[in-house]
Amino acid sequence: MRILICGGAGYIGSHLARELSTQSAYEIIIIDNLSKGHLMSIPNGIIFEKADVRDKKALDRIFFKYKPDAVMNFCGSISVGESVNDPLEYYENNVVGTIYLLQAMIKHNVKYFIFSSSAAIFGNTKEIPITDDTQPEPISPYADTKFSIEKILAWSENAYGLKYVCLRYFNACGAHESGDIGEDHDPETHLIPLILQVALGQRDSISIFGDDYETKDGTCVRDYIHVTDIATAHIKALDYLIRENKSESFNLGSGEGYTVKEVINAAINITGHPIPDIVEARRAGDPAILIAESTRAEQILGWKRKYDTIESIVASAWKYHKTHANGYDN
């Protein structure tokens, strides 16, 4: 099968490409505008086209040239704060870009679509852990773009026969077991890379935003799902689509999560470096606990996390960051 990975030079897309490239059943084509992605993250021998999903002519050319059998989309912008400050940019990139991609699929008779959604669509739900059937209530433009696309996909199945899987998760983290590729965002906003920057001497301390929550140590609890486990879920979702020809949505979660202090302590143990923390005021809108369970993915897809401890996740991230202190610019 020919798989078109949109955003395949980005963090999650590049790990998916790495996993798919080890299986002879797939031929991979990557498109990426490189606004956030990195050419160095793409495995050797994989077809790459620099293109933006908002460029209809480029999409038409690529679909005509390569004739993909399935499409996976990782092109979405991902910062909640950015989306609040510039919602129109987020709706254009995330929603309009996906619409153009779906239009190209329909024009070129491509049936299967895997969408990298987000558990952020559930908002500040009181249902913890979040189940596959929790009612979405997005509270940011970013989350709303993800939920909007999920609704567009449902209507598109009804109108055009498109089959899709939506995968919803919170914090993608960690790095490939080889240490060759990992997380490199500019600016970096994710907790684990920020903590490891302290271990690398690139920042003096890590901020903890509130230590008086009703959790085991007073700090927020969050889900952390290893990027390779997320990649594996996408492959299993594709297999499911081909086998069952049915659309579905799945949560990818740990069901338990980890506190901020637990992540920091894991990093101290893994790196052997002191990691000073500074407790600051709570951030507005931060729930005490945000975790999801993944019963449906486990039962239907047969998905199971390989990296099921915070120590294994942090260790993989450290393997990348200690040899790529400045990301791919090393």
Side-chain angles (χ1 to χ4, degrees):
M1 290 192 71
R2 290 186 173 182
I3 313 300
L4 179 64
I5 305 177
C6 305
Y11 176 41
I12 302 174
S14 64
H15 283 76
L16 171 64
R18 183 66 65 97
E19 294 304 303
L20 280 174
S21 68
T22 66
Q23 303 185 30
S24 59
Y26 304 106
E27 180 180 349
I28 306 163
I29 304 100
I30 286 175
I31 66 172
D32 199 298
N33 66 8
L34 298 181
S35 62
K36 301 291 185 181
H38 307 274
L39 276 176
M40 291 178 64
S41 70
I42 299 175
N44 292 331
I46 288 181
I47 298 167
F48 171 74
E49 294 268 1
K50 185 177 180 181
D52 193 301
V53 291
R54 294 169 290 185
D55 185 339
K56 283 188 168 186
K57 290 183 178 179
L59 288 179
D60 194 48
R61 175 183 60 81
I62 289 166
F63 272 79
F64 182 79
K65 182 177 180 180
Y66 297 107
K67 298 177 175 55
D69 298 296
V71 176
M72 300 190 186
N73 187 22
F74 299 92
C75 287
S77 302
I78 62 171
S79 170
V80 170
E82 272 187 354
S83 76
V84 173
N85 292 331
D86 195 356
L88 295 181
E89 171 65 23
Y90 267 65
Y91 281 97
E92 180 188 14
N93 186 46
N94 294 8
V95 179
V96 175
T98 303
I99 289 172
Y100 288 173
L101 192 55
L102 295 175
Q103 288 174 334
M105 289 178 62
I106 293 160
K107 178 179 178 180
H108 293 271
N109 197 30
V110 182
K111 188 176 183 180
Y112 301 120
F113 187 74
I114 312 289
F115 178 53
S116 195
S117 187
S118 172
I121 68 171
F122 297 112
N124 292 333
T125 178
K126 294 181 180 178
E127 186 174 353
I128 300 296
I130 297 166
T131 71
D132 294 288
D133 297 316
T134 298
Q135 179 62 37
E137 294 182 7
I139 58 172
S140 70
Y142 161 70
D144 193 55
T145 63
K146 294 290 190 177
F147 187 44
S148 295
I149 293 166
E150 291 201 16
K151 291 186 288 185
I152 288 168
L153 288 170
W155 287 113
S156 295
E157 178 183 25
N158 182 65
Y160 315 112
L162 180 81
K163 300 299 178 183
Y164 65 90
V165 168
C166 298
L167 297 173
R168 303 158 167 173
Y169 48 90
F170 282 114
N171 300 300
C173 51
H176 191 265
E177 61 185 4
S178 66
D180 294 338
I181 59 174
E183 197 164 3
D184 182 2
H185 298 118
D186 183 20
E188 186 57 73
T189 60
H190 292 174
L191 180 62
I192 292 176
L194 291 176
I195 291 172
L196 295 180
Q197 286 177 6
V198 180
L200 289 166
Q202 296 174 332
R203 59 175 61 230
D204 295 331
S205 61
I206 188 70
S207 294
I208 296 177
F209 296 99
D211 65 349
D212 56 351
Y213 288 93
E214 293 185 11
T215 61
K216 66 179 74 174
D217 60 24
T219 63
C220 289
V221 175
R222 295 291 183 265
D223 247 340
Y224 297 92
I225 305 299
H226 195 278
V227 64
T228 298
D229 287 331
I230 291 172
T232 300
H234 280 76
I235 298 171
K236 287 186 175 294
L238 177 61
D239 292 342
Y240 166 82
L241 272 183
I242 297 165
R243 182 179 68 251
E244 302 292 339
N245 197 40
K246 290 168 58 178
S247 298
E248 188 59 272
S249 299
F250 300 97
N251 287 353
L252 303 178
S254 69
E256 50 188 17
Y258 302 98
T259 69
V260 175
K261 286 185 178 179
E262 285 177 327
V263 180
I264 294 171
N265 289 334
I268 292 171
N269 293 335
I270 295 298
T271 65
H273 290 267
I275 300 177
D277 61 71
I278 296 176
V279 177
E280 301 189 31
R282 292 186 182 191
R283 292 182 298 196
D286 260 356
I289 303 173
L290 275 182
I291 55 176
E293 55 92 36
S294 52
T295 302
R296 187 181 292 164
E298 292 166 1
Q299 293 178 346
I300 296 178
L301 299 183
W303 179 71
K304 185 177 181 180
R305 291 179 297 140
K306 176 182 177 182
Y307 296 85
D308 58 359
T309 67
I310 193 60
E311 288 78 14
S312 64
I313 291 171
V314 172
S316 74
W318 180 239
K319 188 174 183 179
Y320 168 76
H321 286 286
K322 69 182 179 180
T323 57
H324 298 76
N326 298 310
Y328 291 105
D329 291 336
N330 250 28

